[in-house]
Amino acid sequence: PKGETPLGAFVRFILDRSDTAMAGDGRRRVADLTRLVSASPSLMARERQLGAKYTEALAALLAEETGAAPDDIEPRLAAEAMMAFHRSLIDFARRRALSRKSAADLAAEIRAAGDRALTLLESGLADYARRAAPLTAGRADGSRRPPDGGGFG
């Protein structure tokens, strides 16, 4: 639709397809597919290969749509984030499909997870999992390391 962001369109497409996939005996089909793919290293590799191919195509499309250079980082990062959304939702759906939930309950859980993931992507990662406050205010030497000297800095 007019005015829709690429992220919004992508997520809508993925969630609509998920709803369709869960119709009828979708939970059983997804569970069967999960068992088949996870038992086959070659199918898992092929799935990763296809994901990489789709990511490349999406990055190229985003670059074209935005007028960015084909090797610009922004369309690539956007494509990677969108495809990470897709992979995460597939993983979520596969884990849940192995449960005894109904297809309707599973579809609702997948859509809710997708909505939460979209909110995270739309708001960005700047505040995601931010620690509330440092453990210590600092040491006499000015460092912010814990007294045991641990940490990254």
Side-chain angles (χ1 to χ4, degrees):
K2 187 176 183 174
E4 188 172 35
T5 65
L7 175 61
F10 182 84
V11 168
R12 181 177 44 79
F13 173 77
I14 297 300
L15 291 177
D16 288 350
R17 287 193 56 175
S18 175
D19 288 345
T20 301
M22 286 296 112
D25 67 343
R27 188 205 58 79
R28 184 192 56 77
R29 286 190 319 265
V30 172
D32 290 346
L33 181 64
T34 297
R35 287 184 202 95
L36 178 71
V37 172
S38 62
S40 170
S42 61
L43 287 176
M44 291 173 61
R46 179 66 176 147
E47 188 175 62
R48 286 189 301 274
Q49 186 181 47
L50 286 171
K53 177 182 169 186
Y54 294 148
T55 302
E56 291 295 327
L58 182 55
L61 177 63
L62 291 170
E64 181 181 320
E65 289 286 320
T66 61
D71 63 345
D72 196 336
I73 194 169
E74 289 167 325
R76 177 64 190 200
L77 180 59
E80 291 281 357
M82 288 185 227
M83 292 305 292
F85 167 88
H86 185 232
R87 285 188 307 273
S88 296
L89 203 61
I90 286 172
D91 290 344
F92 179 86
R94 286 180 177 169
R95 285 189 310 272
R96 292 296 200 274
L98 297 173
S99 73
R100 298 283 184 209
K101 293 184 182 211
S102 71
D105 288 345
L106 181 58
E109 276 191 24
I110 293 168
R111 181 155 290 270
D115 288 342
R116 288 191 316 273
L118 174 60
T119 298
L120 178 62
L121 287 175
E122 286 178 332
S123 65
L125 298 175
D127 288 323
Y128 178 73
R130 182 188 300 259
R131 290 184 181 177
L135 297 174
T136 61
R139 295 178 5 172
D141 65 3
S143 75
R144 297 184 70 96
R145 288 189 210 175
D148 67 0
F152 295 107

